[in-house]
Amino acid sequence: MTQTWIQHLVTIESAPPLRLWTGQGGLRLDGKLYRGGGAALKVGAAETAAGDPDRRLTLTLSGIPKDLRSKFLQDAGPQKTTVEWVYSQDSGKSWRRIEDLSFRGRLSTPSLVEGALQVEIETLRGDVDRGRPLRWSHEDQQRRFPGDKGLEYMRALAQQGQEASWPP
């Protein structure tokens, strides 16, 4: 009976791209080098909403080197990220991608949970469902409270270089 090992490839599209995999040591696949995370890198199960396709995955990194930790903690915006599945049937000597099985999304804000760094990868579908964020602007205030002049007053003070707080 043939035994099959399954691992994950994680590619974060930063400059330069950060490539990790859940196995030990380095892995060269299709001319790209993936840095091994081993037991320190875990990819959670995909979360879904009722009747919808997968929406988010959670990456957990524990005991990781400072250079990797800083890559995740820098505020470079929501970076595009891909998680792919690979398998080996020869005790890890050669690895192949599982075609048509991947997860693409954007990194969310990382957090520290019990000493481990956790970051979610959320699909664009999750962004669409979240809706438009409300901002503290005169325009958004008018949508919520037509005729209100409070934020218009605050904007005028700010343009004059005065610090203001509300209520005055």
Side-chain angles (χ1 to χ4, degrees):
M1 180 197 274
T2 304
Q3 190 172 10
T4 302
W5 287 271
I6 296 179
Q7 299 288 344
H8 295 95
L9 301 177
V10 178
T11 304
I12 300 170
E13 296 176 20
S14 57
L18 176 61
R19 292 184 179 91
L20 305 169
W21 80 301
T22 53
Q24 297 290 332
L27 171 68
R28 187 163 296 279
L29 189 65
D30 298 332
K32 297 174 183 158
L33 181 62
Y34 292 84
R35 184 173 174 176
L41 174 63
K42 291 186 175 61
V43 177
E47 296 177 29
T48 60
D52 284 341
D54 296 343
R55 302 180 109 167
R56 78 179 50 91
L57 283 175
T58 301
L59 294 180
T60 304
L61 300 110
S62 56
I64 60 170
K66 287 185 180 181
D67 67 318
L68 280 183
R69 193 176 321 145
S70 65
K71 283 232 182 218
F72 281 95
L73 292 175
Q74 65 184 334
D75 187 17
Q79 297 173 328
K80 292 180 182 176
T81 304
T82 304
V83 177
E84 299 173 277
W85 282 253
V86 293
Y87 72 97
S88 175
Q89 294 181 321
D90 58 6
S91 302
K93 292 176 186 152
S94 63
W95 292 91
R96 294 187 194 123
R97 281 187 168 83
I98 299 175
E99 298 299 323
D100 301 324
L101 183 58
S102 66
F103 185 92
R104 254 182 95 66
R106 296 183 186 272
L107 287 181
S108 69
T109 305
S111 61
L112 286 172
V113 178
E114 298 178 8
L117 183 68
Q118 278 193 349
V119 63
E120 287 185 346
I121 303 169
E122 188 170 46
T123 63
L124 296 177
R125 172 72 186 186
D127 286 344
V128 168
D129 289 347
R130 188 173 297 118
R132 185 170 169 231
L134 295 175
R135 306 200 189 293
W136 288 99
S137 69
H138 175 70
E139 292 74 21
D140 279 349
Q141 184 74 352
Q142 291 304 302
R143 275 195 280 292
R144 289 176 285 185
F145 304 103
D148 186 273
K149 302 284 186 188
L151 289 175
E152 189 175 73
Y153 170 74
M154 298 294 281
R155 181 188 294 170
L157 288 178
Q159 287 172 344
Q160 295 171 11
Q162 296 181 24
E163 287 191 31
S165 61
W166 193 261

